[in-house]
Amino acid sequence: MDDSLDSSKHHDHVLIIEDDERLAHLTREYLEANEFRVDLEYDGARAVERILDEQPDIVILDLMLPGEDGLSICRRVRGHYSGPILMLTARTDDMDQVLGLEMGADDYVPKPVQPRVLLARMRALLRRADTLDAASGTTRLTFGNLLIDSATREAWLDDERIDLTSAEFDLLWLLADNAGRVLTREEIFSQLRGIKYDGQDRSIDVRVSRIRPKIGDDPNHPHRIKTVRSKGYLFVRDS
């Protein structure tokens, strides 16, 4: 399979924040060969400023960095950067991945990094919003005091804008656009990440738990996004 991107597409800007200079340079060479525009940063202490100043199309962020770790960087930029953040982790501990998602990361790739896997995950994150918008027949959904607008990629509760990460918005839109129908984790993974659900990944569950309080749903007794045991999630229509 050819790794080159459509030449008619603009060159997406990637900011790689990685203190392993050899890995960072090898990754940049691979991505540049696939038509990305890539910048590098080795120091976590400078990462926040660069993300906010440059507003890249996507950030590749190492978990362990000198100066400031990836989790802290992710948490600090999330209110001011809406693009996807792909976290790299050398650890196998599931809690690191969950913490990354809770801090606002959109996906994660374990080290040692396999370039084709990294590229596939990046493409999925960058194309996800366009795919969801094209699949839907509408750009605005309203459920009582909750408004979700896919054109602006914003959601509002009682006329107050909700602070959502890119991945959280995409999941909320997918669930809401299928209101009244149970979506299995397999369907959600296929739509949002372009990969099969392995039965172990907790990223969807983490995001649902983060979305619920943001849309006024009681996490302990949710009325809007319900968990359907052994199946998936149901976004409830207004009665």
Side-chain angles (χ1 to χ4, degrees), residues 68-85:
E68 185 169 359
D69 67 76
L71 293 177
S72 175
I73 293 166
C74 198
R75 176 179 53 79
R76 289 179 60 198
V77 303
R78 255 320 175 197
H80 310 281
Y81 173 70
S82 60
I85 297 176

PDB file of all heavy atoms in Angstrom, residues 68-85:
ATOM      1  N   GLU A  68       9.208  19.202  31.326  1.00  0.00           N
ATOM      2  CA  GLU A  68       7.797  19.019  31.684  1.00  0.00           C
ATOM      3  C   GLU A  68       7.280  17.779  30.978  1.00  0.00           C
ATOM      4  O   GLU A  68       7.552  17.581  29.793  1.00  0.00           O
ATOM      5  CB  GLU A  68       6.971  20.254  31.285  1.00  0.00           C
ATOM      6  CG  GLU A  68       5.527  20.200  31.736  1.00  0.00           C
ATOM      7  CD  GLU A  68       4.796  21.525  31.570  1.00  0.00           C
ATOM      8  OE1 GLU A  68       5.427  22.495  31.110  1.00  0.00           O
ATOM      9  OE2 GLU A  68       3.597  21.583  31.900  1.00  0.00           O
ATOM     10  N   ASP A  69       6.560  16.935  31.696  1.00  0.00           N
ATOM     11  CA  ASP A  69       6.134  15.668  31.084  1.00  0.00           C
ATOM     12  C   ASP A  69       4.922  15.874  30.179  1.00  0.00           C
ATOM     13  O   ASP A  69       4.227  16.891  30.226  1.00  0.00           O
ATOM     14  CB  ASP A  69       5.834  14.622  32.157  1.00  0.00           C
ATOM     15  CG  ASP A  69       4.623  14.976  32.991  1.00  0.00           C
ATOM     16  OD1 ASP A  69       3.495  14.828  32.510  1.00  0.00           O
ATOM     17  OD2 ASP A  69       4.815  15.423  34.144  1.00  0.00           O
ATOM     18  N   GLY A  70       4.677  14.866  29.341  1.00  0.00           N
ATOM     19  CA  GLY A  70       3.624  14.956  28.346  1.00  0.00           C
ATOM     20  C   GLY A  70       2.234  15.139  28.924  1.00  0.00           C
ATOM     21  O   GLY A  70       1.402  15.843  28.355  1.00  0.00           O
ATOM     22  N   LEU A  71       1.940  14.512  30.057  1.00  0.00           N
ATOM     23  CA  LEU A  71       0.621  14.646  30.665  1.00  0.00           C
ATOM     24  C   LEU A  71       0.354  16.094  31.075  1.00  0.00           C
ATOM     25  O   LEU A  71      -0.731  16.639  30.841  1.00  0.00           O
ATOM     26  CB  LEU A  71       0.501  13.732  31.879  1.00  0.00           C
ATOM     27  CG  LEU A  71       0.513  12.227  31.612  1.00  0.00           C
ATOM     28  CD1 LEU A  71       0.465  11.463  32.928  1.00  0.00           C
ATOM     29  CD2 LEU A  71      -0.652  11.823  30.725  1.00  0.00           C
ATOM     30  N   SER A  72       1.344  16.723  31.679  1.00  0.00           N
ATOM     31  CA  SER A  72       1.202  18.112  32.110  1.00  0.00           C
ATOM     32  C   SER A  72       1.043  19.044  30.910  1.00  0.00           C
ATOM     33  O   SER A  72       0.212  19.956  30.915  1.00  0.00           O
ATOM     34  CB  SER A  72       2.410  18.529  32.941  1.00  0.00           C
ATOM     35  OG  SER A  72       2.348  19.904  33.273  1.00  0.00           O
ATOM     36  N   ILE A  73       1.823  18.805  29.867  1.00  0.00           N
ATOM     37  CA  ILE A  73       1.726  19.622  28.643  1.00  0.00           C
ATOM     38  C   ILE A  73       0.338  19.499  28.041  1.00  0.00           C
ATOM     39  O   ILE A  73      -0.293  20.490  27.672  1.00  0.00           O
ATOM     40  CB  ILE A  73       2.795  19.173  27.627  1.00  0.00           C
ATOM     41  CG1 ILE A  73       4.199  19.509  28.159  1.00  0.00           C
ATOM     42  CG2 ILE A  73       2.569  19.829  26.272  1.00  0.00           C
ATOM     43  CD1 ILE A  73       5.310  18.815  27.396  1.00  0.00           C
ATOM     44  N   CYS A  74      -0.149  18.270  27.951  1.00  0.00           N
ATOM     45  CA  CYS A  74      -1.472  18.016  27.377  1.00  0.00           C
ATOM     46  C   CYS A  74      -2.552  18.758  28.166  1.00  0.00           C
ATOM     47  O   CYS A  74      -3.414  19.428  27.594  1.00  0.00           O
ATOM     48  CB  CYS A  74      -1.728  16.515  27.378  1.00  0.00           C
ATOM     49  SG  CYS A  74      -3.036  15.983  26.292  1.00  0.00           S
ATOM     50  N   ARG A  75      -2.487  18.659  29.474  1.00  0.00           N
ATOM     51  CA  ARG A  75      -3.486  19.321  30.320  1.00  0.00           C
ATOM     52  C   ARG A  75      -3.445  20.834  30.150  1.00  0.00           C
ATOM     53  O   ARG A  75      -4.480  21.486  30.086  1.00  0.00           O
ATOM     54  CB  ARG A  75      -3.232  18.939  31.781  1.00  0.00           C
ATOM     55  CG  ARG A  75      -4.143  19.652  32.778  1.00  0.00           C
ATOM     56  CD  ARG A  75      -3.845  19.209  34.202  1.00  0.00           C
ATOM     57  NE  ARG A  75      -2.436  19.347  34.552  1.00  0.00           N
ATOM     58  CZ  ARG A  75      -1.864  20.499  34.886  1.00  0.00           C
ATOM     59  NH1 ARG A  75      -2.573  21.612  34.898  1.00  0.00           N
ATOM     60  NH2 ARG A  75      -0.584  20.540  35.206  1.00  0.00           N
ATOM     61  N   ARG A  76      -2.242  21.414  30.055  1.00  0.00           N
ATOM     62  CA  ARG A  76      -2.099  22.869  29.994  1.00  0.00           C
ATOM     63  C   ARG A  76      -2.563  23.465  28.663  1.00  0.00           C
ATOM     64  O   ARG A  76      -3.073  24.578  28.624  1.00  0.00           O
ATOM     65  CB  ARG A  76      -0.654  23.268  30.257  1.00  0.00           C
ATOM     66  CG  ARG A  76      -0.217  23.082  31.707  1.00  0.00           C
ATOM     67  CD  ARG A  76       1.229  23.480  31.901  1.00  0.00           C
ATOM     68  NE  ARG A  76       1.434  24.878  31.544  1.00  0.00           N
ATOM     69  CZ  ARG A  76       2.626  25.420  31.279  1.00  0.00           C
ATOM     70  NH1 ARG A  76       3.715  24.661  31.333  1.00  0.00           N
ATOM     71  NH2 ARG A  76       2.732  26.688  30.979  1.00  0.00           N
ATOM     72  N   VAL A  77      -2.398  22.725  27.566  1.00  0.00           N
ATOM     73  CA  VAL A  77      -2.741  23.311  26.259  1.00  0.00           C
ATOM     74  C   VAL A  77      -4.185  23.059  25.858  1.00  0.00           C
ATOM     75  O   VAL A  77      -4.704  23.721  24.958  1.00  0.00           O
ATOM     76  CB  VAL A  77      -1.815  22.784  25.134  1.00  0.00           C
ATOM     77  CG1 VAL A  77      -0.357  23.070  25.464  1.00  0.00           C
ATOM     78  CG2 VAL A  77      -2.037  21.300  24.851  1.00  0.00           C
ATOM     79  N   ARG A  78      -4.867  22.116  26.525  1.00  0.00           N
ATOM     80  CA  ARG A  78      -6.150  21.669  26.007  1.00  0.00           C
ATOM     81  C   ARG A  78      -7.223  22.767  25.917  1.00  0.00           C
ATOM     82  O   ARG A  78      -8.070  22.721  25.054  1.00  0.00           O
ATOM     83  CB  ARG A  78      -6.674  20.485  26.817  1.00  0.00           C
ATOM     84  CG  ARG A  78      -6.530  19.175  26.059  1.00  0.00           C
ATOM     85  CD  ARG A  78      -6.848  19.351  24.625  1.00  0.00           C
ATOM     86  NE  ARG A  78      -6.630  18.180  23.786  1.00  0.00           N
ATOM     87  CZ  ARG A  78      -6.552  18.237  22.477  1.00  0.00           C
ATOM     88  NH1 ARG A  78      -6.591  19.391  21.854  1.00  0.00           N
ATOM     89  NH2 ARG A  78      -6.398  17.156  21.746  1.00  0.00           N
ATOM     90  N   GLY A  79      -7.186  23.754  26.784  1.00  0.00           N
ATOM     91  CA  GLY A  79      -8.187  24.808  26.698  1.00  0.00           C
ATOM     92  C   GLY A  79      -7.952  25.780  25.567  1.00  0.00           C
ATOM     93  O   GLY A  79      -8.832  26.594  25.232  1.00  0.00           O
ATOM     94  N   HIS A  80      -6.766  25.695  24.906  1.00  0.00           N
ATOM     95  CA  HIS A  80      -6.402  26.687  23.893  1.00  0.00           C
ATOM     96  C   HIS A  80      -5.938  26.056  22.584  1.00  0.00           C
ATOM     97  O   HIS A  80      -5.596  26.776  21.648  1.00  0.00           O
ATOM     98  CB  HIS A  80      -5.289  27.594  24.441  1.00  0.00           C
ATOM     99  CG  HIS A  80      -5.595  28.166  25.798  1.00  0.00           C
ATOM    100  ND1 HIS A  80      -6.429  29.252  25.972  1.00  0.00           N
ATOM    101  CD2 HIS A  80      -5.194  27.783  27.028  1.00  0.00           C
ATOM    102  CE1 HIS A  80      -6.507  29.521  27.269  1.00  0.00           C
ATOM    103  NE2 HIS A  80      -5.783  28.643  27.928  1.00  0.00           N
ATOM    104  N   TYR A  81      -5.931  24.746  22.528  1.00  0.00           N
ATOM    105  CA  TYR A  81      -5.540  24.035  21.307  1.00  0.00           C
ATOM    106  C   TYR A  81      -6.540  22.920  21.067  1.00  0.00           C
ATOM    107  O   TYR A  81      -6.704  22.026  21.904  1.00  0.00           O
ATOM    108  CB  TYR A  81      -4.123  23.459  21.458  1.00  0.00           C
ATOM    109  CG  TYR A  81      -3.719  22.572  20.297  1.00  0.00           C
ATOM    110  CD1 TYR A  81      -3.480  23.111  19.032  1.00  0.00           C
ATOM    111  CD2 TYR A  81      -3.607  21.188  20.451  1.00  0.00           C
ATOM    112  CE1 TYR A  81      -3.126  22.300  17.964  1.00  0.00           C
ATOM    113  CE2 TYR A  81      -3.250  20.373  19.397  1.00  0.00           C
ATOM    114  CZ  TYR A  81      -3.012  20.929  18.157  1.00  0.00           C
ATOM    115  OH  TYR A  81      -2.680  20.125  17.096  1.00  0.00           O
ATOM    116  N   SER A  82      -7.211  22.965  19.927  1.00  0.00           N
ATOM    117  CA  SER A  82      -8.295  22.006  19.659  1.00  0.00           C
ATOM    118  C   SER A  82      -7.884  20.896  18.700  1.00  0.00           C
ATOM    119  O   SER A  82      -8.676  19.994  18.415  1.00  0.00           O
ATOM    120  CB  SER A  82      -9.513  22.737  19.089  1.00  0.00           C
ATOM    121  OG  SER A  82      -9.187  23.392  17.868  1.00  0.00           O
ATOM    122  N   GLY A  83      -6.659  20.952  18.181  1.00  0.00           N
ATOM    123  CA  GLY A  83      -6.221  19.915  17.255  1.00  0.00           C
ATOM    124  C   GLY A  83      -5.931  18.601  17.963  1.00  0.00           C
ATOM    125  O   GLY A  83      -5.845  18.539  19.193  1.00  0.00           O
ATOM    126  N   PRO A  84      -5.741  17.545  17.204  1.00  0.00           N
ATOM    127  CA  PRO A  84      -5.481  16.231  17.813  1.00  0.00           C
ATOM    128  C   PRO A  84      -4.087  16.137  18.420  1.00  0.00           C
ATOM    129  O   PRO A  84      -3.113  16.688  17.894  1.00  0.00           O
ATOM    130  CB  PRO A  84      -5.646  15.249  16.652  1.00  0.00           C
ATOM    131  CG  PRO A  84      -5.469  16.062  15.417  1.00  0.00           C
ATOM    132  CD  PRO A  84      -5.916  17.449  15.742  1.00  0.00           C
ATOM    133  N   ILE A  85      -4.003  15.444  19.546  1.00  0.00           N
ATOM    134  CA  ILE A  85      -2.737  15.155  20.220  1.00  0.00           C
ATOM    135  C   ILE A  85      -2.561  13.644  20.267  1.00  0.00           C
ATOM    136  O   ILE A  85      -3.400  12.939  20.831  1.00  0.00           O
ATOM    137  CB  ILE A  85      -2.702  15.733  21.644  1.00  0.00           C
ATOM    138  CG1 ILE A  85      -2.791  17.264  21.602  1.00  0.00           C
ATOM    139  CG2 ILE A  85      -1.423  15.296  22.365  1.00  0.00           C
ATOM    140  CD1 ILE A  85      -2.863  17.899  22.983  1.00  0.00           C
TER     141      ILE A  85
END
